[in-house]
């Protein structure tokens, strides 16, 4: 209310400096109105609403009133957490038991995923092309064995399995039981070696599969898998090959004896 009883435009309820600025503008406008309106016996002059609002908008657009406003990143984070809060509220209201029921469901899902991960392990990734067994730098079987034992001593089972499989294949090449062929895969080496060492065919295939799993399939080896392939390496060193000529001669002698 004005001193003369007229209705003046009310100042917006704004906090701090912004509210003070608006009240100052309206006070100045009120003083101007009284000056224009003359004595208190004359009817009061009312400020139109739109000019008062525009004056307040111009005043509040000044930089001094926005120095403590939150940054764009802070506003985005606030909006995100508000959205998360609304989402959780909606989910808890739709779940039997409210928030406690939602927590039980989340824990159950996490437990199921952990059980599946423990049971199935890391998903195997199939290589795009057949991987080769050796790298570009040729090494002897003894060097591969030494490297595998060094990795095993440090608990690096993946590398220990890889080097021991390379030692097996390199040893068979050095004994001329396998041809030296660049680009040979572990599966190919196992299949070829199984023809001259038939008593170890299954173990050779298992070793090649473990090599592929830890090298290209994302699996992790352990001490037991390394020990299996190391035992195979030692057994192959003591094994005598079954040559094709020996098989043919044995079969011929068998047939000849049956004929007599």
């Amino acid at each position: 209310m004005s001193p003369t009883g007229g209705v003046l435009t009310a100042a917006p309820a704004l906090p701090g400096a912004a509210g003070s600025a608006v009240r100052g503008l309206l006070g100045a406008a009120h003083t101007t109105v009284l000056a224009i309106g003359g004595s208190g016996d004359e009817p009061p002059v009312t400020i139109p609403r739109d000019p008062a609002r525009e004056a307040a908008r111009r005043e509040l657009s000044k930089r001094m009133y926005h120095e403590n406003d939150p940054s764009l990143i802070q506003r985005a984070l606030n909006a995100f957490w508000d959205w998360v809060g609304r989402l959780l509220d909606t989910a808890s209201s739709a779940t039997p038991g409210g928030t406690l029921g939602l927590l039980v469901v989340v824990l159950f899902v996490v437990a199921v995923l952990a059980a599946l991960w423990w049971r199935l392990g890391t998903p195997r990734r199939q290589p795009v092309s057949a991987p080769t067994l050796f790298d570009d730098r040729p090494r002897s079987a003894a060097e591969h064995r030494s490297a595998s034992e060094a990795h095993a001593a440090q608990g690096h089972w993946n590398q220990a399995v890889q080097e021991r499989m390379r030692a097996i294949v390199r040893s068979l090449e050095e004994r001329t039981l396998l041809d030296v062929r660049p680009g040979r895969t572990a599966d190919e080496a196992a299949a070829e070696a199984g023809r001259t060492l038939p008593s170890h065919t299954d173990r050779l295939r298992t070793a090649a599969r473990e090599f592929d799993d830890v090298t290209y399939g994302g699996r992790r080896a352990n001490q037991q898998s390394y020990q299996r392939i190391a035992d195979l390496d030692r057994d192959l060193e003591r094994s005598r090959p079954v040559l094709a000529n020996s098989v043919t001669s044995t079969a011929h002698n068998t047939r000849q004896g049956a004929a007599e």
Side-chain angles (χ1 to χ4, degrees):
M1 295 292 290
S2 67
T4 58
V7 178
L8 201 62
T9 302
L14 296 175
S20 299
V22 173
R23 288 192 292 270
L25 287 173
L26 294 180
H30 177 242
T31 303
T32 304
V33 169
L34 291 179
I36 296 174
S39 64
D41 296 335
E42 298 178 0
V45 178
T46 302
I47 299 178
R49 183 182 300 272
D50 291 341
R53 184 185 298 112
E54 184 62 28
R57 184 181 297 113
R58 285 196 303 270
E59 180 66 22
L60 292 176
S61 64
K62 293 181 179 179
R63 183 181 181 86
M64 59 181 295
Y65 301 117
H66 302 279
E67 293 177 350
N68 297 323
D69 289 351
S71 63
L72 179 62
I73 296 177
Q74 186 62 44
R75 291 198 298 271
L77 287 175
N78 292 339
F80 171 75
W81 290 119
D82 290 342
W83 175 79
V84 171
R86 291 193 300 271
L87 182 63
L88 292 177
D89 290 340
T90 302
S92 61
S93 62
T95 304
T99 304
L100 181 60
L102 177 62
L103 180 61
V104 171
V105 171
V106 171
L107 292 177
F108 175 76
V109 172
V110 171
V112 170
L113 292 177
L116 290 175
W117 186 274
W118 177 82
R119 180 66 180 84
L120 301 177
T122 305
R124 297 182 60 181
R125 297 186 296 273
Q126 297 296 332
V128 177
S129 59
T132 59
L133 183 63
F134 296 101
D135 52 21
D136 295 334
R137 186 171 70 88
R139 287 185 291 176
S140 66
E143 289 177 317
H144 285 296
R145 288 192 187 99
S146 178
S148 71
E149 292 169 356
H151 286 304
Q154 298 177 8
H156 301 162
W157 303 116
N158 279 20
Q159 294 88 335
V161 166
Q162 292 168 338
E163 290 299 325
R164 202 70 182 205
M165 184 62 191
R166 291 170 179 142
I168 289 175
V169 177
R170 186 66 76 201
S171 176
L172 295 175
E173 291 176 348
E174 292 173 353
R175 296 169 61 189
T176 68
L177 299 180
L178 287 178
D179 295 332
V180 178
R181 178 159 53 86
R184 176 188 278 123
T185 66
D187 292 331
E188 292 171 347
E192 294 172 14
R195 288 193 285 270
T196 56
L197 298 166
S199 61
H200 300 289
T201 300
D202 292 339
R203 296 172 69 190
L204 284 166
R205 290 175 179 171
T206 301
R209 189 180 307 114
E210 289 181 346
F211 176 87
D212 289 341
D213 286 345
V214 301
T215 307
Y216 309 103
R219 298 280 183 172
R220 295 190 62 83
N222 52 33
Q223 185 176 2
Q224 288 73 26
S225 56
Y226 170 73
Q227 193 61 48
R228 285 193 299 268
I229 199 169
D231 292 341
L232 174 61
D233 184 22
R234 286 187 287 268
D235 292 343
L236 290 175
E237 283 290 296
R238 296 190 295 266
S239 298
R240 298 183 62 183
V242 177
L243 302 179
N245 293 336
S246 299
V247 174
T248 304
S249 177
T250 302
H252 175 72
N253 293 336
T254 302
R255 289 194 300 269
Q256 185 178 4
E260 293 176 354

